[in-house]
Amino acid sequence: METIGTGLAKADIDGHRADVYLSRPAKRNAMTAPLIEDVIAAFRTVDRDDVRAITLLGEGPVFCAGMDLERMRCRVEADADVPDPLDALSELIDTIETARQPVVVGIKRAAVAGAFELTLGCDFRVLGSEASYGVPEVELGTFPHVGATQRLPRLVGLSRAKEIVLTGEYVPPASALDCGLVHEVCAPDDVDDRARTFADRLCENAPLGLQHGKRALNEAFDRPLEDGLAFERELGRQLDDTRDYREGFDAQIEGRDTEFAGE
């Protein structure tokens, strides 16, 4: 496993899967600007052609307790030259959302406030059955404003998003699964393994198909339907003459496992 930057993130490659870790376990992986910058660097490290899916995990027993509260309380008084951790978090979420590969996040024990917003940028969410999961910012004199008010309605609908944001209450794992906010709920100690298993399943598919499919889906709400359909078709045409397109059909016809190469 490779330690990234100042050591607050780690990355590991296992076959076609990359695992990126928040690595501040003594502080429950509470996020600071340096930690966030290291995680961004880790995503750049694993942006390789042989990587087909990525997991985002927390080192230690907790995924992420949110932003470091002491740093957040002092941020408005900070020197102008000191990076705003919320700006860094926004950049990290954008980095994850625009990553070529699908990203599966494992949410064990806690993902609150900024950490909850971080998970919304991921493509798939695996949640522990005892996790504290939500955005309590309205109880702290503010509201979640690193993407939650924009991304959450797209995932669960406007009414449910308002309930989550404006009550500040944690979302029960069963409810998170029922409303489509997360894709799987499992025992707390199984979260990381289940996230890796989910990512490994994705890795069995054609990498270019995964990448183009993610691009098309990410733009589904940003384009009029007619434009979206044309964009989808154009991305599909780009794969028609690829080696993996032919391999997929040949394997089906011949009754054998596929051997995709990302070409």
Side-chain angles (χ1 to χ4, degrees):
M1 188 180 299
E2 179 182 356
T3 298
I4 307 297
T6 61
L8 297 175
K10 294 180 180 178
D12 188 35
I13 306 290
D14 186 354
H16 291 298
R17 188 193 75 239
D19 301 322
V20 172
Y21 293 85
L22 284 67
S23 185
R24 198 186 178 209
K27 295 293 185 178
R28 303 173 76 223
N29 296 319
M31 292 183 288
T32 60
L35 181 148
I36 294 167
E37 289 165 1
D38 281 0
V39 178
I40 292 172
F43 268 87
R44 291 173 180 155
T45 297
V46 302
D47 183 16
R48 304 173 4 176
D49 288 341
D50 61 327
V51 170
R52 300 181 184 177
I54 301 170
T55 65
L56 178 62
L57 308 170
E59 187 176 8
V62 176
F63 169 64
C64 182
M67 302 300 296
D68 186 299
L69 292 182
E70 287 296 326
R71 305 286 180 92
M72 288 298 295
R73 185 180 64 179
C74 299
R75 61 186 270 271
V76 295
E77 303 169 0
D79 187 279
D81 294 332
V82 177
D84 187 329
L86 292 187
D87 289 342
L89 178 58
S90 180
E91 181 182 355
L92 172 56
I93 297 171
D94 288 344
T95 297
I96 293 170
E97 204 164 47
T98 59
R100 292 186 296 162
Q101 304 86 348
V103 179
V104 182
V105 60
I107 308 161
K108 57 188 179 187
R109 298 306 194 288
V112 299
F116 178 95
E117 296 189 274
L118 173 60
T119 71
L120 300 182
C122 300
D123 301 291
F124 302 98
R125 288 161 287 280
V126 176
L127 182 66
S129 59
E130 298 176 359
S132 298
Y133 190 47
V135 275
E137 281 90 335
V138 290
E139 300 174 356
L140 300 173
T142 183
F143 72 98
H145 53 280
V146 194
T149 66
Q150 305 305 304
R151 292 184 176 94
L152 192 56
R154 287 168 164 80
L155 293 172
V156 301
L158 182 59
S159 180
R160 188 76 173 102
K162 285 183 176 180
E163 179 183 352
I164 293 169
V165 170
L166 300 182
T167 67
E169 297 174 354
Y170 292 145
V171 184
S175 298
L177 183 63
D178 288 344
C179 72
L181 178 55
V182 303
H183 300 80
E184 181 178 340
V185 172
C186 63
D189 293 339
D190 294 340
V191 169
D192 287 359
D193 284 342
R194 293 301 303 162
R196 295 188 192 100
T197 298
F198 201 122
D200 285 338
R201 171 64 186 89
L202 297 172
C203 290
E204 297 174 5
N205 296 326
L208 295 178
L210 290 171
Q211 293 170 24
H212 282 55
K214 176 174 175 174
R215 279 190 64 193
L217 287 161
N218 278 353
E219 299 205 20
F221 289 96
D222 298 326
R223 294 173 178 262
L225 178 59
E226 184 175 352
D227 290 349
L229 292 172
F231 180 62
E232 176 189 71
R233 288 292 298 125
E234 174 56 30
L235 290 178
R237 290 189 190 98
Q238 293 175 16
L239 302 184
D240 285 349
D241 293 326
T242 61
R243 179 262 183 203
D244 282 355
Y245 182 90
R246 294 188 294 273
E247 166 64 12
F249 279 90
D250 287 347
Q252 286 289 322
I253 293 168
E254 297 167 13
R256 58 174 175 80
D257 293 338
T258 51
E259 296 182 5
F260 292 124
E263 302 171 354

